[in-house]
Structures are given as C-alpha cells and as structure tokens.
Amino acid sequence: LKHAQGGPNQPMWTAIRGNVYDIEGWVERHPGGDVIRVAAGRDATWLFESYHGKHVENVLEQLYVGKLVDGNDGIEQVEKRTEKDEKMDHVERSSTPTVRKRKNQEHKRMDEPAGREELEGTKRSTENRSDDDPWESHEPQDVLRMMEEDLEPVATYKTGPFYDELKRRVNKEMRQKGVNLRTSTSMYVKSALILTSCVITWWNAFFSPYQALRMVCAALLGFCRAQVGVSIQHDANHGAYSKNKLASTIAGASLDFVGASSFMWKQQHVVGHHAYTNVDGMDPDIRVGEKDVRRVTQYQPWHPHHALQHLYLGWLYSLLAIKSFAVDDFQALHTGRIGNVRINRMTRIEMGIFWAGKLFYFCCVYMVPCLLSTSGWMELILLWSMNEAVAGWTLAFLFQVAHVVGEVDFIKADEKTGRVDCEWAIAQLETTADFSHGSSFWLHVSGGLNHQVVHHLFPGICHTHYPKIAPILKQLCLEKGVKYRVFPSFWSALQAHFRYMKHVGSVKVPSLATVG
C-alpha cells in the first residue's frame, strides 16, 4: 500500500476502514482540493472520517479496489483489474510488507478502521525477484529491519455513536442557518489584511529611515508571518479556505513564502497530528529524541536537565520558525520522515513550491537587506532575531496550550495491536483544550485555535465558523457526560502549559523507553 502514492506506473491508493480505494481519478474533482493527496499510500480512516459525512459513501463505492487481507499480494482484488494494477503486482509481492487485516475480521462491518501494518512473509522466493529489487542483495534479517524502519504506525480506535450524532446536529443547524462552512467572506478580508501587513512590516523593518520603527516592524513581521501560518495556510491546507482549487493552492503555498514548507506541514500536521493527537510514538508534534531538550509525556525518556525545562523552553520556542525554515524541512526531505510519519513523494509542482518558497524567503528577509538596507550588521542581526523570535513564540505558544497541558491526556496505543481504548472523537476531546471562548480577538489572532477541539473534529470547516459549532458540541458533551476542557483565558492556558512542563520534567516517572 505504501508504494501506491501515484506517479509513473503506480496507482494512488488509500485505505479506509479496512478497504482500499483508488483516488487518483478523484484528485482533480475532490471538493477539498489537493489535501486528498496526503491520504495516498496509507491508512487514512480518521482523516476521512473527520472531513466527511455519510453522504460521500456513494463516492467511495465508485473508487473501491479491494480489501486489506492476509496473503502475498496484501490486497484482494475485486472486479476487473486495470493495467496499472497489474504493474503494481510485482511491487506488492517483492518489495513491500504485506498489509494485514485484523484477526477474525470478515470485513462485514464498515464502522472500524483497518489495523496497523504488520510484517509478514520476509522470505521471498527467487522467482519473484528482479534486477531492480532494492532489497535483492540483503539477507532476510536485513530485509526485516528495512521493512520495520519503513513502516508507519497506525492506531485503531473504538467506534461509537458520539461522532455521528455530533455531525448530524452540526449539519442540521448549519443548513437551517444557511451557513457555507468551507468558506467565509471575513476570511478573505482577513487574508488580505495579513498579507498586506507582511509587506508593510517587511519594508519598514529593513528600509525605514527610523530605527525605532525598524525595531517595531521587525517584531510585527514575525507576528504577521505567524498569522499566515495559523490562519491563511492553516485553513487552506485543511481544505477549508475556498471551493476554488487555484485559490486554495495559492493560499496554502503562502506558508512557503514566509519560510516554512506547506508540503511538510501537511505531512506532519494533517497526516500525523490530526489522526493521532497526543498518541505517544505516532503524533509527530510531541515526538522527542533519546536525549531531547524536552520531555512531553511520562512515556518518554527522562534526563536530569528536564527538571529545568519549564525555565529554558520558553526561550527555545523562539527558535521554532528559523528551525523549521533552515533545518526541519530539509531534514524531512532528506530522511523521508517526520518522526514516524512517512513523507509521500512530492509532485513536480510541490517540489517547485518548496524550493521557490525557500529561495523567496531567504532573498527577501536576508539577502536583499544585506545588499540594500542602510542598517549596520549588528542591527541587521538584531532585526532578523526579533523577526524569527516573535514568529517562533507566537506559533509555539498557540499550539502548545492546546495539547501540552496537564488538563489533557496523553495516549499510549497497544504496542502489538495499535488499539486505543476509546472512540476517536472522544480522544480528541480528551487530548485537546480550548481557551477564551467568546473572544473575537483570540478567534482571529489564534486562527481559531482557541476552539482547537472543534478544529480537530471538523478540520475542513473555516475557522471563522467555529464559535457557531462550539455550543452544539458543548451541549452534546453535557448529555453524554464527556468533559470539554476550556481555559478561561490564553494566559491561564499558557500558565497551565509551563506548569505541566515543570511537572513532567521534575518527576522521574520511568518511561517505556528506559524500563528493562
């Protein structure tokens, strides 16, 4: 399945609830735009569920290919096979791990996602080998290791009626009010103001004759860049900006031209974070290295310096934006992974946007000021630092207060089965917190992240509509006895974040990585 990402002689397949679908012919017609590409070559059950209602089931039937099953081919073909399917046979048999269905799953139920990929059949017969087989020269144990390194973990959640009922209520009320949930005129006005502000603050930060104005605008430039990240590109790359594909693509690419990569962001945020929020080992937003500067959960390794992380992380967050621009995106491009999330291959357009964005930002923010600004080197370094620091702080603080606080849960999926002992929608409520409900200021400054729970449950809806949905969600939570976490203010949420970082850093709770 992982090789079915589209491209020459390869289909574009995705798995939903244990079934495989060919989405290549649907990409151009997909109402949500190119965001569908992130589903290629992987289990996209919970991405699909969070973006769609029951009305799209008839579309799935038209794209149906087969089921995830045991066996050498991994996928049981049904009906007629295409020429592209035939070309995939060799790839599936000789160079990919088999996608295994859950034990005792007869595929009679359509309400459960597929289980995680497991390794089978590491011994391959010589008749299936070819000269271009990338694992031809390796011993079986080496093949097993390479397979394990290339797998992408998949979590399986329980199913239940909560999410379907929530969708039903939201759709009913929004239809009655005549609300177009994907688009918003106010979002277009907001986009124009943000982009205009980026240009004005950039010019004054480096070319204003007044030093004080240069300093202020350098900081404001960082803030405006962050606004592109949390508002324009965030909605666009979730397919929640416009029904016009070109407009959505341009809005999504706005992130590239303020330093980061929209392609890498979609792989990390849409594929990894949204599907497996706060699931240790699967959510790339909470990943850490063996000797990382921070410890986010009790499941992660503890080191003495973590006792001070609540003191130094606030300063390190200032490096988030420049690290993404200069390090993280290139590292992901080189390794093909962001944590445990496998990165899909780029199209030519995506590759072009990636490099054009990097070049554009470097030239505008660093090269042009070096050549044309009247500021001295020391002042330029200060201006650059202020720009990057404010962007980093804005992004880090807005995202951390939603998921890395003591009031939410961190989940550990079963290591053998990948199962999580709760419904997916309930898991979003348990791992996410909102803040400042009722504040128009924070709604727009945070890009709707003050309604983060609503965003996770309805990522395909424009963030300006979140306040309309929150009361519906709150009422359902009251009826079902589900806790809906909301901080009264951003300040209280930020305090909760650093309070939690102090706790998890100072308490030496044995982690699974250090036990045994």
Side-chain angles (χ1 to χ4, degrees):
L1 181 63
K2 67 179 181 182
H3 286 272
Q5 300 176 25
N9 300 324
Q10 290 187 352
M12 185 183 290
W13 289 345
T14 190
I16 300 170
R17 309 184 197 125
N19 296 314
V20 178
Y21 301 93
D22 188 340
I23 58 176
E24 185 172 22
W26 182 247
V27 171
E28 295 299 323
R29 294 177 292 159
H30 184 239
D34 284 346
V35 69
I36 191 176
R37 290 184 179 275
V38 303
R42 56 170 46 98
D43 187 304
T45 298
W46 296 111
L47 292 179
F48 174 83
E49 294 288 356
S50 62
Y51 279 91
H52 304 94
K54 296 295 184 182
H55 64 283
V56 300
E57 296 293 339
N58 61 329
V59 176
L60 283 183
E61 293 176 2
Q62 301 172 32
L63 307 178
Y64 182 65
V65 174
K67 301 174 185 291
L68 298 180
V69 298
D70 293 321
N72 290 332
D73 283 331
I75 296 178
E76 177 184 40
Q77 296 293 326
V78 296
E79 300 179 359
K80 67 178 183 178
R81 300 161 60 80
T82 65
E83 179 181 353
K84 192 168 285 189
D85 293 337
E86 298 287 352
K87 292 178 180 179
M88 275 297 295
D89 276 352
H90 166 71
V91 178
E92 290 294 333
R93 283 197 297 267
S94 65
S95 60
T96 67
T98 298
V99 182
R100 183 182 180 184
K101 70 174 182 179
R102 293 185 304 278
K103 294 180 180 180
N104 302 321
Q105 170 69 297
E106 299 297 334
H107 295 284
K108 294 179 180 179
R109 297 180 61 189
M110 291 291 289
D111 60 347
E112 292 189 29
R116 63 173 14 177
E117 294 179 341
E118 297 181 6
L119 296 172
E120 291 184 353
T122 56
K123 293 183 179 180
R124 294 171 290 123
S125 62
T126 56
E127 65 182 7
N128 284 332
R129 293 182 177 177
S130 66
D131 294 336
D132 60 352
D133 188 342
W135 291 338
E136 176 72 33
S137 61
H138 294 278
E139 296 298 324
Q141 60 269 27
D142 294 325
V143 174
L144 178 62
R145 176 183 57 77
M146 295 172 70
M147 284 179 170
E148 289 176 334
E149 291 175 351
D150 201 46
L151 283 179
E152 182 175 86
V154 175
T156 304
Y157 294 81
K158 287 184 176 180
T159 57
F162 183 90
Y163 202 17
D164 287 340
E165 176 61 17
L166 176 62
K167 289 180 178 180
R168 186 191 68 79
R169 293 188 185 188
V170 169
N171 290 333
K172 179 181 178 180
E173 184 157 339
M174 295 304 107
R175 281 199 304 269
Q176 290 176 346
K177 294 180 178 180
V179 178
N180 186 332
L181 293 173
R182 179 170 297 160
T183 63
S184 170
T185 301
S186 62
M187 184 61 205
Y188 302 142
V189 174
K190 180 179 178 180
S191 299
L193 290 174
I194 291 172
L195 295 176
T196 301
S197 297
C198 282
V199 175
I200 293 174
T201 54
W202 168 78
W203 176 263
N204 283 287
F206 298 110
F207 304 108
S208 171
Y210 307 106
Q211 186 181 52
L213 183 59
R214 292 197 295 270
M215 295 296 173
V216 171
C217 286
L220 289 176
L221 174 60
F223 178 76
C224 292
R225 288 173 56 214
Q227 287 302 301
V228 172
V230 300
S231 292
I232 302 175
Q233 76 84 27
H234 192 249
D235 278 21
N237 286 317
H238 271 298
Y241 189 84
S242 172
K243 291 184 177 180
N244 183 282
K245 184 177 179 180
L246 179 60
S248 293
T249 300
I250 293 173
S254 63
L255 181 64
D256 293 84
F257 295 93
V258 293
S261 166
S262 59
F263 176 85
M264 297 303 176
W265 184 88
K266 284 185 285 188
Q267 303 298 308
Q268 175 175 337
H269 186 79
V270 179
V271 174
H273 173 64
H274 267 258
Y276 309 117
T277 310
N278 276 16
V279 179
D280 189 69
M282 296 186 188
D283 183 351
D285 280 9
I286 61 171
R287 72 189 187 280
V288 298
E290 181 60 33
K291 294 185 178 181
D292 208 282
V293 295
R294 72 172 186 162
R295 187 190 196 212
V296 182
T297 80
Q298 62 177 330
Y299 307 113
Q300 297 169 346
W302 181 89
H303 298 286
H305 62 265
H306 290 145
L308 300 175
Q309 66 176 5
H310 62 291
L311 299 177
Y312 62 72
L313 279 178
W315 297 103
L316 291 182
Y317 286 157
S318 67
L319 302 176
L320 177 65
I322 187 64
K323 183 171 177 283
S324 177
F325 165 68
V327 179
D328 292 347
D329 292 340
F330 294 107
Q331 185 177 50
L333 187 65
H334 173 69
T335 63
R337 304 190 78 86
I338 301 176
N340 281 324
V341 176
R342 170 182 43 78
I343 296 173
N344 285 356
R345 71 174 58 88
M346 287 184 175
T347 64
R348 290 182 179 179
I349 293 177
E350 289 168 337
M351 184 66 76
I353 292 175
F354 178 90
W355 288 108
K358 295 295 183 186
L359 182 62
F360 178 87
Y361 181 76
F362 176 76
C363 289
C364 286
V365 175
Y366 291 97
M367 183 175 290
V368 172
C370 282
L371 297 175
L372 303 178
S373 177
T374 57
S375 300
W377 279 106
M378 292 303 296
E379 183 181 339
L380 279 176
I381 292 174
L382 180 59
L383 294 174
W384 290 329
S385 299
M386 293 175 67
N387 165 43
E388 300 294 352
V390 172
W393 277 323
T394 304
L395 293 169
F397 291 155
L398 287 175
F399 283 112
Q400 295 301 308
V401 299
H403 301 294
V404 188
V405 292
E407 286 74 7
V408 306
D409 294 337
F410 295 89
I411 298 172
K412 188 69 177 180
D414 187 279
E415 290 189 347
K416 294 183 179 180
T417 65
R419 291 188 179 275
V420 174
D421 194 26
C422 67
E423 296 179 37
W424 182 84
I426 300 298
Q428 303 310 301
L429 282 151
E430 292 179 344
T431 59
T432 309
D434 289 357
F435 67 90
S436 299
H437 277 195
S439 171
S440 296
F441 172 81
W442 282 112
L443 172 69
H444 290 289
V445 168
S446 71
L449 298 183
N450 65 323
H451 291 83
Q452 185 77 279
V453 178
V454 174
H455 170 61
H456 271 253
L457 294 171
F458 299 96
I461 292 178
C462 179
H463 76 261
T464 59
H465 297 309
Y466 292 168
K468 303 181 183 74
I469 298 173
I472 304 173
L473 174 59
K474 183 178 180 180
Q475 179 60 36
L476 182 60
C477 287
L478 288 173
E479 294 175 13
K480 302 297 182 181
V482 178
K483 188 173 182 179
Y484 187 1
R485 298 159 176 82
V486 182
F487 289 103
S489 66
F490 174 74
W491 178 242
S492 62
L494 189 61
Q495 287 179 307
H497 168 65
F498 284 104
R499 187 164 57 243
Y500 171 73
M501 296 310 290
K502 180 180 181 179
H503 170 74
V504 77
S506 60
V507 180
K508 186 178 180 181
V509 181
S511 72
L512 298 182
T514 57
V515 171

